[in-house]
Amino acid sequence: MRNPIMPLFALLFIVYVINKQSLMPRMVEAKGNVHIVYLGDKQHDDNKLVVDSHHQMLAEIVGSKEEASKLMVYNYKHSFSGFAAKLTDSQAQQLSEFPGVVRVIRNRILSLKTTRSWDFLGLSSHSPNLLHASNMGEGVIVGLLDTGLWPESKAFSDEGLGPIPSHWKGGCESGDQFKATIHCNRKIIGARWFIDGFLAEYGESFNKSEVHEFFSPRDAIGHGTHTSSTAAGSLVHNVSYNDLGFGTIRGGAPRARLAMYKVCWNVNRGQCASADILKAFDEAIHDGVDVISLSIAGQNPLFSEVDEYNGIAIGSFHAVAKGITVVCAAGNEGPSAETVKNTAPWIITVTASTIDRSFPAPITLGNNETLVGQGIFTEKEIDFTGLVYAEETTLRVASEGESQNPPLDASLVAGKVVLIFPSLNHRLPNATKFVKAAGAVVDFNIGTKILLYARSTRSPVVKLSPAKTFVGQPLSANVAYFSSRGPNSIAPAILKPDVAAPGVNIIAASSPLGQYFDNGFDMLTGTSMATPHVSGIVALLKSAHPDWSPAAIKSALVTTAWKNGPSGSPIFAHGASQKLADPFDLGGGVINPNKAADPGLVYDMTTADYIHYLCAMSYSNSAISRLTGKPTMCPGKKPSILDVNVPSITIPSLSNCTTLTRTVTNVGEATKTIYKAAIEPPLGIMVSVNPEVLVFDAATKKISYRITVSTTYQVNTGFFFGSLTWTNGVHAVRIPISVKTEIMPA
């Protein structure tokens, strides 16, 4: 999920109009006639028999195998079993009643959600750290489900790379302006594209020439090129964006290999069909990727994770079961609560933070008052020119099909500076399509000052001065305004997001067709940009610790994350007002890669733990059995979701004394080591741990402990936050605690 050059602390934009033409691609409507028939884990390894069984099942509904072949969109045959087909609602209902069918899921359309960030995270290429200890991710394959890539980018050079990893089974597919033998190399080792599920919905209303798209792995938007180069791009020196942020760009794991699975298409800023996403998961798992990165998410309200409408949750479950770590975007619907997406506990869910770099841009009003915003404007100073406020009804004009969202009337604003409050801008969602981001992003307070000035004079004017690059203290990491927040709306007792990572003003490679492309690169903002930062670090951890499970990697990231920024400064969360960030804003904290490489203890999980979660969520035995491929019976007494072994404690409804369990695994010192508990209890909450001391040695690698939580409150409260840290003098293994009391009336 992405926003182009968008709000740093921002609630408004200053933008300079450069033309009168809308750049928005034509809106198209989905037909909504594709369904995914999910059959769970494969019952045998003969792919031909699997496919034949799909056609036979569909033929029983539609009358013949010939008709079934016409209606079939995809067969899922490698990592799990199922198919996507064009079905009426009645046919879908009939199939849902077949023996062996876990669920029939309606195809959904989902949305897409550098030169400084790696140094900020402590992964400088000039000093000893995880980057070098892992040989820059050598031998690891990162798979991305995105908009494709631009193979000519310098970020995808394979210079200095050795042979393709031996465990790779995938390949490249040719298509529009993409030739596999030319455009794939030892860096881009996989490139596939999946559009059948998308076309089955949109049909002839999707005109690829009209929206400038390629039926191939080539990227027409720039999003996939940006995310893939951020995760595992090669080093490119002397890069800047509009002369800002000068330096060397690279991915988090510059020697890792890339496999692109293009599932998102150039409609409404990037749309992705769940049938295509599920097919890409099936192929990526089979191809042999080690990490899967998705900067994609659905919309609120969320549906049940496994049973309904959630191809990402289903696909990622099968990936994690095969030892593949899956990293997903939290979403860009912040700062409201309960907006976080991709909430399954087997996924690493990433929110976006700022870094210690800014681009201050002076804004001088006609009354000679100078304010400072953040901008990318580096051209000649724009001398005093007219200032207009975009919320004025006189600045909006309806166009066909957009009566609910009228764009700016460019004839009234051409050549002027336009003030926009995006928090109030639901009626102008595409305003920036009509303007060039030539000014600054400012906070609400400064924006209000500009507005008050504009309303105080008949002919307001403003002068915009070029931005400059500022790095280091006193700048610190903060949670971005737009980042989706917890609590988890599906399972409130499972903390989401998991971690925060740089996602604001990230410079990386892009497509020349991208709207803000500058000499090979773009500066983008969103949880889309934060996600590949974590994916790149996961690749380094996989290289350094090939035996770690996805859960162990997730735990290492969460328990070692910065609660305060790398500089030691507090981390704030931007919203209607700034506040200290809490676990619903940033999970465990901002990722700390070097600490994650040596976490001491991890909260590990296996398929059995995820079954515990599924049973606690009241999924049926048959659905769980099909999902896992093994007969499963949930216990007669529903297990507590509080006991799922995640690296956090979240109690959304505490009324009585509650006890829960966690298990830690020693991945640190092989000799005897002693960990002691240190508790920071939430305000008004009592927390105790038993035992208070954990002793590990060569024979004892795992130890379980119990946490008892109670409250002095006799009223309902909001959430209070604290932490539990296990320390042995070398490692500090910290998990966040979130507790909300709920006292039932007598």
Side-chain angles (χ1 to χ4, degrees):
M1 308 183 76
R2 60 143 324 178
N3 289 321
I5 324 304
M6 299 252 295
L8 182 55
F9 312 104
L11 294 179
L12 56 93
F13 306 90
I14 306 289
V15 284
Y16 189 62
V17 175
I18 59 172
N19 61 56
K20 299 180 181 181
Q21 301 300 317
S22 169
L23 302 177
M24 192 182 84
R26 183 171 63 91
M27 299 278 287
V28 294
E29 296 298 330
K31 298 176 181 178
N33 61 353
V34 177
H35 292 76
I36 299 166
V37 181
Y38 177 57
L39 303 172
D41 204 49
K42 293 198 306 179
Q43 301 303 304
H44 47 74
D45 294 326
D46 189 325
N47 287 343
K48 184 179 184 304
L49 290 179
V50 172
V51 172
D52 287 346
S53 69
H54 298 166
H55 282 264
Q56 180 61 44
M57 180 180 290
L58 183 55
E60 291 186 36
I61 294 296
V62 301
S64 68
K65 285 192 174 182
E66 291 75 14
E67 184 65 18
S69 296
K70 293 178 184 178
L71 297 174
M72 192 72 72
V73 176
Y74 285 124
N75 294 103
Y76 307 119
K77 58 187 178 182
H78 294 304
S79 307
F80 45 87
S81 180
F83 59 89
K86 299 176 184 177
L87 302 170
T88 65
D89 289 344
S90 175
Q91 291 168 336
Q93 178 60 37
Q94 292 179 63
L95 278 169
S96 70
E97 298 170 357
F98 269 49
V101 173
V102 176
R103 183 70 59 174
V104 176
I105 306 167
R106 187 68 170 269
N107 190 29
R108 294 181 68 209
I109 302 298
L110 290 82
S111 303
L112 293 167
K113 292 294 175 238
T114 92
T115 60
R116 177 61 189 173
S117 54
W118 298 116
D119 288 349
F120 169 75
L121 294 174
L123 293 180
S124 169
S125 58
H126 304 297
S127 59
N129 53 52
L130 173 62
L131 182 67
H132 303 287
S134 64
N135 196 17
M136 299 188 182
E138 179 67 60
V140 177
I141 303 167
V142 180
L144 293 101
L145 278 59
D146 216 298
T147 66
L149 43 71
W150 197 264
E152 291 85 0
S153 171
K154 294 178 182 178
F156 303 131
S157 168
D158 65 354
E159 183 178 355
L161 294 179
I164 292 172
S166 59
H167 65 282
W168 175 246
K169 301 177 185 176
C172 291
E173 298 175 353
S174 298
D176 290 350
Q177 298 187 36
F178 191 97
K179 190 171 182 179
T181 55
I182 296 175
H183 294 127
C184 286
N185 55 20
R186 288 170 299 173
K187 168 61 75 173
I188 303 171
I189 64 173
R192 301 178 185 271
W193 50 291
F194 305 94
I195 196 172
D196 291 352
F198 184 83
L199 290 179
E201 293 291 348
Y202 285 100
E204 296 179 359
S205 63
F206 177 67
N207 186 326
K208 70 183 180 72
S209 61
E210 187 175 311
V211 298
H212 211 149
E213 183 55 277
F214 305 99
F215 282 180
S216 77
R218 185 172 289 278
D219 185 6
I221 300 175
H223 189 277
T225 303
H226 199 280
T227 56
S228 54
S229 63
T230 299
S234 302
L235 276 71
V236 185
H237 301 289
N238 301 322
V239 170
S240 67
Y241 183 76
N242 280 2
D243 295 324
L244 294 171
F246 184 85
T248 296
I249 75 151
R250 62 175 174 83
R255 296 186 65 85
R257 314 309 170 94
L258 287 166
M260 173 57 67
Y261 300 85
K262 182 176 177 178
V263 296
C264 301
W265 301 89
N266 192 11
V267 171
N268 305 338
R269 292 189 173 185
Q271 299 288 294
C272 333
S274 55
D276 297 330
I277 291 171
L278 203 55
K279 180 62 174 174
F281 265 113
D282 186 35
E283 297 294 336
I285 295 168
H286 176 262
D287 289 346
V289 303
D290 301 295
V291 184
I292 295 179
S293 184
L294 295 92
S295 294
I296 303 171
Q299 300 297 322
N300 285 324
L302 304 182
F303 294 96
S304 302
E305 290 167 309
V306 176
D307 283 355
E308 298 283 349
Y309 303 110
N310 201 332
I312 293 178
I314 294 172
S316 61
F317 180 91
H318 289 283
V320 169
K322 300 292 195 301
I324 302 168
T325 302
V326 180
V327 187
C328 293
N332 294 342
E333 283 67 50
S336 298
E338 297 188 40
T339 52
V340 64
K341 316 296 195 305
N342 295 316
T343 57
W346 45 86
I347 290 173
I348 300 176
T349 307
V350 187
T351 194
S353 73
T354 64
I355 58 176
D356 61 344
R357 180 181 67 189
S358 68
F359 306 111
I363 305 162
T364 305
L365 306 180
N367 60 6
N368 288 324
E369 182 179 6
T370 298
L371 307 170
V372 178
Q374 298 288 321
I376 59 164
F377 174 57
T378 58
E379 300 172 18
K380 184 179 178 181
E381 181 176 82
I382 298 175
D383 206 351
F384 284 107
T385 189
L387 171 66
V388 293
Y389 176 39
E391 279 295 299
E392 297 295 335
T393 56
T394 56
L395 300 182
R396 300 196 299 271
V397 58
S399 60
E400 183 179 357
E402 295 183 312
S403 59
Q404 297 298 314
N405 300 295
L408 289 173
D409 185 344
S411 65
L412 297 179
V413 296
K416 298 179 181 178
V417 173
V418 183
L419 175 65
I420 303 174
F421 284 79
S423 62
L424 307 173
N425 197 40
H426 304 302
R427 294 187 297 273
L428 294 168
N430 302 302
T432 54
K433 291 292 185 179
F434 291 80
V435 295
K436 179 182 179 183
V441 175
V442 300
D443 65 24
F444 202 95
N445 179 263
I446 293 177
T448 301
K449 289 181 180 180
I450 297 172
L451 179 58
L452 291 175
Y453 158 72
R455 287 176 168 170
S456 70
T457 180
R458 178 171 296 181
S459 301
V461 292
V462 65
K463 178 171 66 175
L464 303 179
S465 300
K468 300 182 183 301
T469 302
F470 188 92
V471 174
Q473 294 188 9
L475 301 174
S476 182
N478 293 296
V479 178
Y481 175 86
F482 57 82
S483 287
S484 293
R485 313 294 167 92
N488 180 341
S489 62
I490 293 294
I494 302 296
L495 178 64
K496 290 290 177 173
D498 294 303
V499 289
V504 174
N505 291 345
I506 303 301
I507 300 174
S510 187
S511 163
L513 302 178
Q515 186 178 354
Y516 301 99
F517 182 82
D518 177 50
N519 197 30
F521 302 93
D522 206 342
M523 182 189 289
L524 300 180
T525 286
T527 54
S528 276
M529 286 62 252
T531 300
H533 275 85
V534 174
S535 301
I537 291 167
V538 169
L540 299 181
L541 293 174
K542 290 281 285 188
S543 182
H545 301 286
D547 58 331
W548 280 11
S549 70
I553 290 174
K554 173 180 170 179
S555 173
L557 290 170
V558 172
T559 62
T560 62
W562 279 298
K563 179 183 177 183
N564 294 321
S567 66
S569 302
I571 299 175
F572 285 84
H574 293 296
S577 61
Q578 289 195 46
K579 68 178 182 68
L580 280 173
D582 61 49
F584 294 147
D585 300 315
L586 79 172
V590 175
I591 50 173
N592 184 344
N594 294 313
K595 289 290 186 180
D598 184 21
L601 306 176
V602 295
Y603 292 78
D604 207 355
M605 296 176 72
T606 66
T607 301
D609 295 281
Y610 300 129
I611 290 173
H612 177 129
Y613 168 79
L614 296 169
C615 290
M617 289 291 287
S618 299
Y619 289 107
S620 68
N621 291 329
S622 60
I624 298 173
S625 298
R626 288 288 177 182
L627 180 68
T628 62
K630 299 176 182 178
T632 302
M633 290 290 293
C634 291
K637 181 182 179 181
K638 188 171 78 170
S640 171
I641 196 169
L642 298 177
D643 290 329
V644 177
N645 203 44
V646 292
S648 59
I649 296 170
T650 309
I651 305 177
S653 179
L654 177 68
S655 55
N656 301 310
C657 183
T658 296
T659 299
L660 52 105
T661 62
R662 290 291 184 271
T663 300
V664 286
T665 302
N666 182 21
V667 293
E669 297 83 353
T671 56
K672 183 176 179 179
T673 183
I674 300 173
Y675 282 85
K676 297 180 180 179
I679 301 170
E680 292 183 12
L683 183 66
I685 306 296
M686 283 79 71
V687 180
S688 62
V689 178
N690 184 27
E692 296 180 338
V693 175
L694 307 178
V695 181
F696 296 91
D697 54 29
T700 305
K701 294 293 185 182
K702 291 180 180 288
I703 298 178
S704 295
Y705 65 89
R706 297 167 68 83
I707 311 103
T708 300
V709 184
S710 58
T711 180
T712 60
Y713 293 116
Q714 296 301 311
V715 296
N716 295 339
T717 70
F719 276 96
F720 292 98
F721 305 98
S723 65
L724 166 63
T725 305
W726 291 101
T727 59
N728 69 343
V730 177
H731 303 100
V733 187
R734 177 184 175 275
I735 62 173
I737 300 175
S738 311
V739 180
K740 177 183 178 182
T741 62
E742 191 169 65
I743 308 300
M744 301 302 293

